[in-house]
Amino acid sequence: MIEVKHVHYAYTIGKKGKRTDVPVLRDVNFEIRKGEITAIAGKSGSGKSTLLNLLSGFISVDSGMITINGKDVTGLSEKGWSSFRLEHIGFVFQNYELIPGLTALENIELPMVLKGENQRLRREKAEKMLRKVGLEHQSSHYPNELSGGQQQRVSIGRALINEPAIIFADEPTGSLDSETEQDILTLIRTLNEEKNITFVLITHDHEVASRADRRLTLTDGRLTEERGEYSEAK
Amino acid sequence: MKLSDQVQFTMRNMRKNKLRIFMTVLATTMGSAFLIVLASVGFGLQSSLMEEASSHQPLTQIQIWDRYESDELQGIDERTIEEIKELEHIRTVVPRGMVYHMDVSPSVTLEDYMSGAQVIVTDFEAEKDSNLSLSEGDFPASENEILVGYHFSESLISPEAAEQRTDPEDPYFAPEEGDYSGSVLGKNITVSFTNQESGEIVEEETFTIAGITAAPSRDWNRNGNIYVAGEFREHFMGLTGQEHMYTEINAHVTSVEHVENVTAELKEQGYSVYSISEELSSMNLFFNALKAGLIFVGTIAVLIASIGIFNTMTMAVTERTHEIGVMKALGANPAGIRRMFLMESGAIGLMGTLFGVVIAYAVSAASNVIIPAILEATTGTDTLNITFSAIPAELVLIAGLISVAVATVSGYRPALRATRVNVLQALRREA
């Protein structure tokens, strides 16, 4: 599903003439299979967010190759990435990143709007999705009228609405209390089992990482461990 | 993203900051209204002067003076008139000729009254075709009926009044001196041809006045002529000894757009011609330059308003950076984002233009009432019949195009900035 081969990435810092490269990812290799929940764990500064940014096309690799869903995405243009994300990837962010001026229903609808789906189909699917994430009574609420857990549910609904094969979740429970965290992780597990969606979770939390099928740990830009606690426990 | 959704998003965004949008639209409104009102003065004065010029002579009329063939004066006769009539797009040709000669000249009397009227020979059918209008009576139905000019009665003087004058024989006198009262319609006049040397009357003809022409379009023009049917042309020529009797030939063209062609054709055939259209074309050139200049100056006002649009759109992009970032992260096409911002600035331009047009029409109408009133009050004249400001559809179209184009262009840079929003920075994600 996702294949990462010999990926290197470095930041350039400093002003013109005095530039230095700070390596973040060094020769990262891994593969994620379809239907897996994979946690990418690591301390802050380990390069896990950078890895997700590369997988999402927000930045591009210095060298190496990334293949998603059988497509080499390494050299995609900005426009190419736009339609690729719209088609294949759903996003769940730590800060939910909902649009404040849109209701819960409209936020969930947004990826379908971007895709150019017609309004009736959009409404129907978004309402169904709201029920699935347990927010059927909050459909006309704006984000600032929802709790953190509810906002993250909306965000998950938005990630799922275009039925992508993969969902990238960056610290999905990072801003939530532990009870709500369990709810969200259970929801992710249910969706994974129901629809066979591949999840990639970025987390620094051992508890979250332990709920995944596999766990990849990044230390100083290198992938040092690969093991699956959850699948072993199953 | 569908166009209808883009429109909806744009409208939602515009509603979010109504005051800011309102102020920007207001600036654009003022700019485009200023542009239209300023240029409308050029359009207004042009149409006033054109109207003024064409009231003197119909636009479709071409005056023909003489004909030259290899620099030799050929003169105009029956045959050349017929040739002109045969030309394409000619509706009619009015061949007027003044009856006058040094040796034998006609003099006009009505009852005892003497008249200084000129005798003109013409073709009444052609006069009718050329839309000569009458104030009283009808066109002559028989050979001995005639038309007289609107001021003919003023040219009549009684022998008693003539006695008072320093030179009673002088046929030219001021209208105030004429002392005829009552209508001349249906009266008989006598045209006598006198040999100037011997004082002997060679011939006398009596005519009945069938109609009186309409007043000349200009107050200072006086028409005291008498118009006699063309059948007398040969006869009168025989009496006076004139070689030709075609002094004022007016060709009437079927419509204004053919005037230029027909004028050129006539010139090529050696006629010396004059048409008001020819004079108007140089006047038009001047006014077109004036209008272009006014539109240019007015455009500067629109450009100033565009600074406001640029500001508003830059603010809008800054405010919505997060939203743009989210949409880009989810997979929005950069071109779609750009289009939404261009639509927003275009909408500001369009609204500004629409309100600007409405205001410009109001200002234009008001200035057409107020300015002549002020001028009348300050200069004391009441003959000002000028439209100061006119807004034809083409001006609205030009101003609309300029305003919307300027608005869209000034929104282009902010829109481009929106497409370049960095997703990571917008989402405040650690990179």
Side-chain angles (χ1 to χ4, degrees), chain B residues 364-386:
Chain B
S364 164
S367 71
N368 282 336
V369 174
I370 295 166
I371 295 178
I374 293 173
L375 286 178
E376 261 169 47
T378 50
T379 63
T381 52
D382 58 349
T383 51
L384 278 170
N385 197 10
I386 290 177

Side-chain angles (χ1 to χ4, degrees), chain A residues 7-193:
Chain A
V7 164
H8 286 260
Y9 185 80
Y11 286 113
T12 308
I13 57 164
K15 284 180 184 161
K16 224 177 184 176
K18 277 189 187 171
R19 286 197 171 151
T20 19
D21 284 351
V22 180
V24 185
L25 296 177
R26 305 167 212 223
D27 196 29
V28 173
N29 293 279
F30 65 88
E31 200 179 317
I32 290 172
R33 285 178 293 275
K34 188 168 169 56
E36 272 184 347
I37 298 183
T38 305
I40 297 177
K43 294 180 189 146
S44 40
S46 60
K48 54 189 194 306
S49 287
T50 305
L51 184 58
L52 190 76
N53 290 341
L54 287 171
L55 291 176
S56 317
F58 300 150
I59 50 177
S60 0
V61 296
D62 292 340
S63 67
M65 197 175 94
I66 299 172
T67 315
I68 300 176
N69 230 355
K71 187 180 168 82
D72 177 8
V73 294
T74 329
L76 273 186
S77 66
E78 196 191 4
K79 202 180 157 198
W81 262 113
S82 291
S83 49
F84 188 80
R85 283 198 293 264
L86 198 59
E87 202 66 42
H88 301 283
I89 307 173
F91 287 94
V92 177
F93 300 102
Q94 180 177 359
N95 300 322
Y96 331 124
E97 308 292 7
L98 301 177
I99 291 179
L102 298 180
T103 62
L105 187 75
E106 288 166 342
N107 264 294
I108 287 183
E109 235 181 35
L110 185 60
M112 291 186 85
V113 173
L114 297 178
K115 214 173 166 181
E117 304 278 11
N118 79 58
Q119 200 167 4
R120 249 193 55 209
L121 180 75
R122 260 161 35 193
R123 252 317 111 93
E124 220 170 85
K125 271 186 87 176
E127 273 166 2
K128 224 166 148 186
M129 186 58 70
L130 263 178
R131 278 198 294 279
K132 182 161 260 165
V133 298
L135 289 173
E136 60 268 39
H137 301 303
Q138 279 82 21
S139 73
S140 55
H141 285 40
Y142 287 93
N144 62 1
E145 297 163 349
L146 296 170
S147 73
Q150 287 172 324
Q151 289 190 55
Q152 197 58 300
R153 283 166 182 275
V154 173
S155 149
I156 291 170
R158 183 179 66 185
L160 286 166
I161 196 79
N162 274 345
E163 297 166 16
I166 305 160
I167 289 184
F168 291 149
D170 186 9
E171 305 276 10
T173 59
S175 306
L176 304 173
D177 59 65
S178 57
E179 202 180 318
T180 318
E181 177 180 290
Q182 291 307 316
D183 284 355
I184 296 292
L185 291 174
T186 310
L187 178 63
I188 288 175
R189 175 55 70 187
T190 315
L191 292 166
N192 164 256
E193 282 169 356

Side-chain angles (χ1 to χ4, degrees), chain B residues 14 24 91 145 157 181 214 270 272 301 346 367 387 410:
Chain B
M14 289 175 79
T24 318
R91 195 175 73 221
E145 288 189 324
I157 191 166
S181 58
S272 40
S367 71
T387 310
S410 60

